[in-house]
Amino acid sequence: MILVTPDREFDRGIVGPEERIVRELEGTKVVGATVVKEHQISHGWLVNVPSADAR
């Protein structure tokens, strides 16, 4: 899976059916993208997810 934005591309590899791509924004610009397990997302908040730079 590759997330394409106007400024760059984020290669996230294989994203399974129970995973989601979470975007990190600065204003309206996407500056990071992380793949997380669906259970790590709770009511709009991420739980125990490393920063996008760690991947």
Side-chain angles (χ1 to χ4, degrees):
M1 178 80 59
I2 298 175
L3 173 65
V4 179
T5 70
D7 298 313
R8 64 185 276 201
E9 296 178 359
F10 298 88
D11 185 353
R12 298 293 86 192
I14 296 172
V15 178
E18 301 298 319
E19 296 178 314
R20 302 292 179 259
I21 295 177
V22 177
R23 297 168 295 151
E24 180 182 346
L25 303 173
E26 284 184 3
T28 59
K29 183 177 179 181
V30 179
V31 296
T34 304
V35 175
V36 299
K37 299 288 185 188
E38 189 172 35
H39 72 269
Q40 291 178 292
I41 302 172
S42 174
H43 303 289
W45 294 93
L46 298 180
V47 181
N48 297 323
V49 177
S51 72
D53 295 331
R55 290 194 125 227

